[in-house]
Amino acid sequence: MTNEMAALREFRSEVPEPSEVRLRVVEARMVAHLHGAPAPRRAVRRIAWRVGLAAGLAGAVTVGVVTIRHQPSAPAAPPPLAQPSGAATSGTGPRIQPVSAAQVLDLAAQAAQGGGEITPRADQFIVYESITMYTADVGDGSRYLYRTKRTAWLSADGTRTGSVRIEYLQPQAYPGWPIPPQAKQEVGRVDLLPVCGSPNNYVRLRTLPTDPQRMFAYLQSQASGGGDRNHRLWEAAGDLLRENYLPPAQRAALYRAINLIPGVVLVPQARDAAGRAGVAVGIVDRQAGVRDEIVFAPDTYRYLGERAFVVDAATAKAPVGSQLAGTAELSVTVADSAPVATSGPKGPDCR
Amino acid sequence: MSTPTRTVDDSLATAPQPSDAEIIARSRDEPETFALLFRRHSAPLHRYIARRLGPHVVEDVLAEVFLAAFRERGRYDHDRADARPWLYGIATNLIGRHRRAEVRALRNLERTGFDPVTEAFVERSDARVGAAAVGHRLAAALAGLRPGYRDALLLVAWGQLSYEETAAALGIPVGTVRSRISRARRDMRAALGGIDPTSIQEES
């Protein structure tokens, strides 16, 4: 061959690869823009959970037929709630069996004022422990449901570098699909990744409206873009709940704002990804062929997690009624610092 | 109020790694995982961008490459396990916004022998005999190439992409890549003229 390519390869070859330190700086800048950025297809937030994963889930997986439309009065007595676990029964007075999504959301809003809150300082971190199950859509056409134990340390005012620790647990099959071999290889792996610049930080969330109508207007402002308008409003609401600590007044307003989204239905029995019994509200995401749900504790109406169930087998490529979504928020606490998520030199602080 | 213990991030080095496609798929739900893609590909991309545009804009362009990739991640073709062609394609588009500056620097090198791109690293370069003359002529040839030709040539020569990967990066048929590179190489040969361009070993 000729020499011109060799000469070209030498041309400016003195330009070195960057130092680790400089790369970390760029990485931090990039990461600052990732967290809290709108997902391209939040609609397909397929938190994946297989039907019947936990014994006793059978009642919950038939929610497709027991959901009740948004309506002011009860058409009939809803199915009884699942038996709660012992810890979940230490509730607040007599159990009310909700008969509508509106009622669940109203109870959740009332309960938001009930105390038991954390009080982070601006310079602290809020620590969210959760388990999640989502779809891993592997490039070769296979897919499975990957499960993680996840801990996020998020700066209360968004100015400090936080981190998220992701531990991969045993995977599950995507309903009706074989588990690909690579699904098992990652079990036990732990990723520790930096997080900074969270736009939905606690200090900012404190400034959100405390009035339901104005909170709904805020959701509308966040729900730009195409697709199913109602589902986008729902997504905007979910973005405020997930790994976020909303002050009680804003939380109450948010729950009442969700009630203003058309198409929200009651799901009387819903277990979260930790197996805790609860009650949920949901909305159909036609683009994904699933119904997304937010699960509340049946007694305290505290937020427990999220789920998604197939309602359109052709779109979701899984049987109707199978569960493709499962998270559980296990704890929300306060810490003074976050683990350092970069090897080598200390990562730069968020600016 | 607990203070979490430090966790050593050493698992990344030993555990099996997910494919680029899988990282990108996951980043839909877990944006932070996109940092893994950055760690995997940023160093050579940084160098590629720096060789084209110099040290002053490289970090901005690099960050923008990954942010643009992040915004576009929903459209990533998951049959492509290796994200390099995708990332280099995005980088090519962003480098294209600095085309005038890129050509200006090459022309400057052609005329004066001073290369603003390498000035910061000049003490690290080998003092090769004849390198300066070759640099003048290569710079002239590169500056004279049409942008699509320069992109294809440099993705192969500096980005170390195959022709197929270059085609994927630029969104053009591989036949077009072949013809562009062969044309660009003819131009380079002509520019180098009678000079023996190298005391360098031939590439295969």
Side-chain angles (χ1 to χ4, degrees), chain B residues 31-128:
Chain B
E32 312 83 30
T33 54
F34 215 71
L36 295 174
L37 200 71
F38 183 92
R39 291 183 190 180
R40 190 174 285 180
H41 295 298
S42 58
L45 252 173
H46 185 289
R47 182 167 187 245
Y48 177 77
I49 297 164
R51 275 176 99 172
R52 292 196 61 173
L53 300 180
H56 300 300
V57 297
V58 59
E59 290 186 359
D60 285 348
V61 174
L62 182 68
E64 187 51 38
V65 166
F66 280 90
L67 286 173
F70 182 73
R71 288 191 293 269
E72 294 293 309
R73 69 197 190 281
R75 287 194 237 162
Y76 185 76
D77 174 0
H78 289 281
D79 291 338
R80 296 185 186 178
D82 179 358
R84 280 189 319 135
W86 183 57
L87 293 170
Y88 277 86
I90 292 168
T92 299
N93 289 336
L94 294 171
I95 288 168
R97 294 186 189 169
H98 300 268
R99 182 172 298 141
R100 275 204 223 165
E102 181 182 26
V103 172
R104 202 182 308 125
L106 289 167
R107 292 291 183 204
N108 196 67
L109 170 56
E110 177 196 354
R111 290 195 200 102
T112 68
F114 173 77
D115 187 354
V117 165
T118 56
E119 78 173 297
F121 317 111
V122 77
E123 66 276 10
R124 301 187 207 183
S125 70
D126 315 341
R128 290 195 311 275

Side-chain angles (χ1 to χ4, degrees), chain A residues 1 3-4 8-9 11-13 15 22 27 29 35 41 139 144 146 150 153 168 190-191, chain B residues 2 4 11-12 22 26 28 30 32 39 47 51 59-60 78-79 115 158 185 189 202-203:
Chain A
M1 267 279 196
N3 285 333
E4 75 278 358
L8 186 57
R9 288 204 169 98
F11 183 55
R12 290 178 174 171
S13 63
V15 173
R22 293 311 306 170
E27 179 180 324
R29 272 174 56 190
H35 197 76
R41 298 193 302 151
Y144 62 97
Y146 72 98
R150 183 181 158 91
W153 291 260
Y168 293 91
V190 177
D191 291 337
Chain B
S2 67
S11 57
L12 294 172
E22 202 176 336
R26 283 191 184 184
R28 290 178 186 174
E30 298 176 81
E32 312 83 30
R39 291 183 190 180
R47 182 167 187 245
R51 275 176 99 172
E59 290 186 359
D60 285 348
H78 289 281
D79 291 338
D115 187 354
W158 292 354
R185 291 181 66 168
R189 271 201 298 278
E202 294 247 314
E203 46 112 23

Side-chain angles (χ1 to χ4, degrees), chain A:
Chain A
M1 267 279 196
T2 49
N3 285 333
E4 75 278 358
M5 286 299 272
L8 186 57
R9 288 204 169 98
E10 279 297 309
F11 183 55
R12 290 178 174 171
S13 63
E14 58 267 51
V15 173
E17 287 207 347
S19 70
E20 185 74 10
V21 176
R22 293 311 306 170
L23 273 189
R24 290 296 180 200
V25 170
V26 182
E27 179 180 324
R29 272 174 56 190
M30 182 199 71
V31 166
H33 289 87
L34 301 186
H35 197 76
R41 298 193 302 151
R42 255 284 148 76
V44 204
R45 193 181 170 94
R46 297 194 204 100
I47 322 166
W49 223 27
R50 190 166 53 160
V51 175
L53 176 67
L57 196 58
V61 299
T62 58
V63 285
V65 294
V66 297
T67 54
I68 299 165
R69 279 261 151 204
H70 236 352
Q71 43 200 342
S73 61
L81 289 167
Q83 282 303 308
S85 65
T89 53
S90 57
T92 54
R95 176 81 49 85
I96 301 167
Q97 289 194 351
V99 293
S100 69
Q103 192 180 1
V104 170
L105 290 163
D106 190 55
L107 288 165
Q110 289 176 37
Q113 315 286 3
E117 303 290 334
I118 59 170
T119 51
R121 291 193 317 265
D123 64 341
Q124 289 181 307
F125 292 86
I126 307 179
V127 187
Y128 304 88
E129 275 191 301
S130 57
I131 51 178
T132 68
M133 185 176 281
Y134 299 128
T135 297
D137 208 339
V138 188
D140 59 8
S142 60
R143 52 174 76 171
Y144 62 97
L145 309 182
Y146 72 98
R147 299 171 56 242
T148 75
K149 169 88 162 49
R150 183 181 158 91
T151 307
W153 291 260
L154 302 183
S155 167
D157 66 1
T159 64
R160 306 178 73 198
T161 305
S163 48
V164 55
R165 180 185 185 279
I166 304 168
E167 176 184 350
Y168 293 91
L169 307 175
Q170 283 290 340
Q172 299 285 331
Y174 193 84
W177 296 49
I179 299 183
Q182 66 264 39
K184 300 271 170 68
Q185 291 176 358
E186 66 185 5
V187 174
R189 200 179 82 216
V190 177
D191 291 337
L192 186 63
L193 302 169
V195 172
C196 58
S198 164
N200 282 340
N201 61 72
Y202 170 68
V203 168
R204 191 183 91 76
L205 293 177
R206 278 195 308 209
T207 68
L208 289 183
T210 55
D211 168 75
Q213 288 290 348
R214 289 177 54 218
M215 180 62 89
F216 186 73
Y218 171 79
L219 297 180
Q220 288 179 310
S221 75
Q222 300 297 303
S224 58
D228 180 340
R229 178 77 180 161
N230 294 336
H231 191 261
R232 293 194 71 96
L233 291 167
W234 172 274
E235 289 170 2
D239 288 347
L240 292 181
L241 285 172
R242 190 179 310 117
E243 278 184 359
N244 274 331
Y245 178 69
L246 270 175
Q250 280 80 7
R251 201 182 322 146
L254 180 64
Y255 291 148
R256 294 197 162 105
I258 292 172
N259 189 38
L260 301 174
I261 301 173
V264 173
V265 299
L266 172 70
V267 182
Q269 296 175 320
R271 270 182 204 274
D272 72 3
R276 297 176 296 192
V279 56
V281 296
I283 192 171
V284 169
D285 175 5
R286 285 186 183 78
Q287 284 178 302
V290 303
R291 183 187 54 254
D292 288 339
E293 301 174 2
I294 299 169
V295 184
F296 298 96
D299 46 3
T300 63
Y301 287 91
R302 189 171 68 80
Y303 167 82
L304 291 183
E306 294 176 280
R307 318 193 308 170
F309 281 85
V310 174
V311 294
D312 177 351
T315 304
K317 299 192 172 77
V320 168
S322 57
Q323 191 169 359
L324 298 185
T327 70
E329 186 174 84
L330 302 178
S331 70
V332 181
T333 54
V334 176
D336 291 331
S337 63
V340 175
T342 52
S343 51
K346 214 174 195 175
D349 258 8
C350 301
R351 289 167 42 90

